[in-house]
Amino acid sequence: MYIAMSQFEVANGMAADVREAFVNRPHMVDHEKGFLGMKVFTPQENENEFWVMTTWTDEISYREWYKEHMKASHEGIPKGLKLVPGSLKVRFFDMVSD
């Protein structure tokens, strides 16, 4: 299993809009080759911070989706959203144990 984990912090009071966008996301990625699932988290101590975990069968499937469809799948991002500078981080993991 391959995991892509994104972390970011909303800077301009739009955390509720971001939360709603994830709840009502169009599920475009759900039918992509190798996609297993998505989970979105916010830490209890900071409702403006988001962690997005997508799981894939393998790195190649993720890379193909990113190259071909990532931009279109992010069209639901709330207009006017601003992030805390430097807060966007993307890390990649291999599953060791479940």
Side-chain angles (χ1 to χ4, degrees), residues 26-92:
H27 295 267
M28 293 174 66
V29 70
D30 292 8
H31 304 290
E32 293 295 323
K33 176 182 164 234
F35 180 77
L36 298 173
M38 176 192 297
K39 294 185 181 190
V40 181
F41 309 91
T42 56
Q44 291 180 339
E45 70 275 4
N46 185 357
E47 65 182 23
N48 294 312
E49 187 176 322
F50 288 81
W51 292 65
V52 181
M53 180 179 74
T54 58
T55 53
W56 301 81
T57 56
D58 56 83
E59 182 177 356
I60 291 170
S61 295
Y62 169 81
R63 299 277 177 208
E64 286 177 9
W65 167 80
Y66 187 89
K67 180 180 169 189
E68 301 294 326
H69 304 288
M70 188 278 299
K71 186 174 182 175
S73 68
H74 285 80
E75 289 177 0
I77 292 173
K79 302 292 184 229
L81 176 67
K82 303 244 184 277
L83 302 182
V84 170
S87 71
L88 177 60
K89 297 175 182 74
V90 181
R91 296 184 65 197
F92 303 100

Side-chain angles (χ1 to χ4, degrees), residues 2-37:
Y2 184 76
I3 299 165
M5 179 80 78
S6 303
Q7 174 189 359
F8 62 90
E9 187 172 352
V10 176
N12 61 339
M14 295 185 69
D17 298 296
V18 173
R19 189 174 287 105
E20 184 177 332
F22 277 117
V23 168
N24 297 311
R25 70 184 183 86
H27 295 267
M28 293 174 66
V29 70
D30 292 8
H31 304 290
E32 293 295 323
K33 176 182 164 234
F35 180 77
L36 298 173

